Amino acid sequence: MNIVRNILAVILGFIIGGLVNMATIAAGHAIMPPPAGFDQTSMEGVASTIHLLGPVDYIVPYLAHALGPLVGVLCAMFIAASSRKMIAIILGALFLAGGIAANIMIPAPMWYRIVDVVFAYVPMAFLGWKLSGKD
């Protein structure tokens, strides 16, 4: 039964984290819309208009990439029956893989890619594990 709960924790943690990521992007763009002319309807549109973004426009994606793993791991910690640190590591690695894939597909500036990959996924997964208070 512990194995089933742990697998469920990983799956639900990843799904919930992904939903938080998408909701943060949607809410963030409603509060801080991208500049006029920025095309976010397709990957080609983003690639051709990304030069319109300034540093402040990267706050929303970074928050989404940080909050997804944080909330996903926090939720997983309350579902998991054991091996919580390992589950947090697995989720951090899954979110990191998704972040690396996004950074390959979206031609963002190098400074943002570094900040995003280094400070968003694994550190936030670790923080989620620590904040849960469950070892």
Side-chain angles (χ1 to χ4, degrees), residues 67-124:
L67 289 176
L70 177 68
V71 174
V73 169
L74 268 171
C75 292
M77 294 301 99
F78 292 101
I79 298 168
S82 62
S83 305
R84 288 180 177 90
K85 186 176 184 181
M86 181 55 66
I87 290 169
I89 291 168
I90 291 168
L91 283 169
L94 286 172
F95 282 110
L96 178 62
I100 290 170
N103 275 298
I104 290 170
M105 292 185 288
I106 301 169
M110 188 56 68
W111 67 265
Y112 174 74
R113 291 177 185 206
I114 292 169
V115 168
D116 188 50
V117 169
V118 171
F119 297 110
Y121 307 103
V122 174
M124 288 306 194

Side-chain angles (χ1 to χ4, degrees), residues 2 8 23 46 52 56 68 85 96 99 105:
N2 284 353
L8 188 62
V46 170
L52 298 173
V56 73
K85 186 176 184 181
L96 178 62
M105 292 185 288

Side-chain angles (χ1 to χ4, degrees), residues 11-54:
I11 293 168
L12 288 176
F14 192 67
I15 291 170
I16 291 167
L19 291 173
V20 167
N21 183 322
M22 290 185 289
T24 303
I25 292 285
H29 284 167
I31 296 167
M32 290 177 55
F38 181 70
D39 180 11
Q40 56 188 9
T41 59
S42 67
M43 293 302 271
E44 294 80 20
V46 170
S48 65
T49 58
I50 200 152
H51 66 278
L52 298 173
L53 298 180

